[in-house]
Each structure stands twice: as C-alpha cells, then as structure tokens.
Amino acid sequence: MKTSGLNLQGVQRSFDTPEGPRHVLKGIDLEIGSGDRIILFGPSGCGKTTLLHLMAFLDQPSGGQLHFNGEATDQWTEAERCKVRAREIGMVFQQFHLLPHHSVLDNLKLRLRYLPHPNPLPDNAEALLEEVGLGGRENQPARLLSGGEKQRLCIARAMLLQPALFLADEPTGNLDDKNAEKVRDLFMDVSKRGAAMVIATHDQRWFEFATRVYAFNQGQLELISI
C-alpha cells in the first residue's frame, strides 16, 4: 500500500446560479494521512459530495489550496490530475457505475482503463474477488448480482491498484443492515493496509469505524468525534 497525505487549506467551492453565487464550501481545513478513517457527516445537499469531488481532483476549488503528498495541486494540468486519480485514488460512488451485461471480471478491469498505458490485470485480482465474497463469480454478469454484491464489486474495483487514498460517497446508503455491516468490515480491512479513507455519509453507524468524524455546518467542518 502506498502512503498518502492530502492537505486542504481554506478550500472554498461556489457555484453560479440565476440568483447569484451559491457558496457550498466556505473554508475547509483538513489534513488526511495514511491510516486515517474520516467520516464526513451530514444530510443530502450539505456539501459532502462536492468535497469528495475536490479530493478526487474531479473538480477544482474556487479558493484555497489542496496539497497532495506535499505538492500544491492548483497548477496541475488535467493530465496530471488524471494520473494521480488513476494511480493513487480509489473511489466508491453512491451509484454503482457497473456495466450490467458485462462480467464481474470485466467490471473489475474498468479500473485499468484510466491508466495512461495499457496494463495487465494485477495478480491480486482473483484473490480480491474472493476477499469481497465474489470468488468463483468472475464470469457472472453484473446485472445478476444483488445490491450488496454490486457494492462489494465496486469496493474491489477501487482496491485493485492498492490506492493510497480511498474515497466513498454513501457506500451503504442503498444496503440493508447485514450488507452494510459487511461493507464496513471490508473498509476496515482496507484501512489496516494503510490507506487514508474519507467516507461521506448520513449514517451514524459509521461513527464507530472512524478515527475522526466531521459534521457539515453551513459550509464548514466541525469536529464532533475523535
């Protein structure tokens, strides 16, 4: 597992609307390092997903700075952002983003499409599927998986390249209690390997998993648990 450090200093994000600028993030200060398990807690629309997108370099702040492994990112080109995102960051979205008629293995391979050069499937692929409870299902179409199995496949895909930073947006929002518990156990396994983890959720059951919990308060983060 690679090591990671992500530092946010005074990060702001505003969006233009017909009524004027909408200030979603209003000066976010946050340091994230290897082994951290950070929960971003709050209801829909509070800014959790916006902040995750900035951390994944899918978007850029309106103000403030992000540093990744000590390097300022404001002057990065889109190619540089894509390279870091492909190699260093694993993402689990609220929607599964699977190809329903393609096999489990083909959906796992989607992770490799974002690398700058063609890469073979890593040797750990089958072991990873076994680890998430999908061993022996490599050739099954993704559409035949249950909701919990689809989410576990998404986690395996995010873990494939052993990312330094692991981001998840409401990873148990669509799961029952049993499958949600399995996902939290998988995330703990990822954390034990040294990945920095940031999870956006409105589910307080994640609090026991966290090393730090932040609640959104009018566009800012408030530490509510350590």
Side-chain angles (χ1 to χ4, degrees):
M1 184 72 67
K2 313 174 189 78
T3 58
S4 172
L6 182 63
N7 188 2
L8 288 72
Q9 298 175 338
V11 167
Q12 304 171 36
R13 186 66 174 100
S14 301
F15 297 93
D16 292 329
T17 73
E19 292 76 30
R22 177 172 174 253
H23 302 289
V24 177
L25 304 178
K26 302 176 183 178
I28 301 294
D29 296 315
L30 187 61
E31 290 190 20
I32 306 163
S34 297
D36 280 341
R37 300 187 299 275
I38 293 174
I39 301 300
L40 303 177
F41 179 73
S44 297
C46 69
K48 302 190 304 293
T49 298
T50 298
L51 184 53
L52 283 187
H53 285 180
L54 293 176
M55 292 178 179
F57 307 112
L58 291 166
D59 190 15
Q60 297 186 63
S62 306
Q65 278 213 335
L66 286 84
H67 289 78
F68 189 79
N69 290 341
E71 181 180 352
T73 65
D74 54 333
Q75 298 299 316
W76 281 3
T77 64
E78 181 59 27
E80 288 171 325
R81 287 191 290 272
C82 287
K83 181 180 178 181
V84 169
R85 193 163 56 242
R87 286 286 187 185
E88 304 283 350
I89 300 173
M91 292 175 284
V92 176
F93 297 99
Q94 192 168 1
Q95 303 299 321
F96 298 134
H97 297 299
L98 298 173
L99 301 176
H101 299 289
H102 288 249
S103 70
V104 165
L105 196 59
D106 284 343
N107 276 280
L108 194 65
K109 290 177 181 177
L110 284 176
R111 184 75 173 89
L112 305 176
R113 295 180 64 179
Y114 302 99
L115 297 177
H117 304 290
N119 284 264
L121 194 66
D123 293 338
N124 68 329
E126 290 189 8
L128 194 53
L129 289 176
E130 188 75 37
E131 184 177 342
V132 301
L134 295 174
R137 311 280 293 278
E138 292 86 354
N139 297 316
Q140 183 170 340
R143 62 184 171 83
L144 299 181
L145 301 177
S146 69
E149 289 169 337
K150 288 176 180 176
Q151 188 64 298
R152 297 202 301 272
L153 174 55
C154 293
I155 294 168
R157 185 172 60 189
M159 291 168 59
L160 186 62
L161 298 178
Q162 298 183 322
L165 178 62
F166 194 96
L167 307 174
D169 191 3
E170 297 287 4
T172 53
N174 299 317
L175 303 181
D176 58 31
D177 289 345
K178 182 178 179 180
N179 279 302
E181 186 64 32
K182 289 180 180 178
V183 167
R184 284 191 290 273
D185 288 344
L186 282 173
F187 277 33
M188 184 60 77
D189 290 340
V190 175
S191 175
K192 288 177 180 176
R193 299 173 191 180
M197 306 192 75
V198 182
I199 299 161
T201 184
H202 65 272
D203 185 351
Q204 294 188 28
R205 290 173 296 183
W206 278 99
F207 285 13
E208 293 183 2
F209 169 87
T211 56
R212 281 178 281 160
V213 178
Y214 292 92
F216 275 82
N217 183 7
Q218 298 183 340
Q220 296 182 318
L221 292 181
E222 178 181 336
L223 183 67
I224 62 173
S225 177
I226 57 174

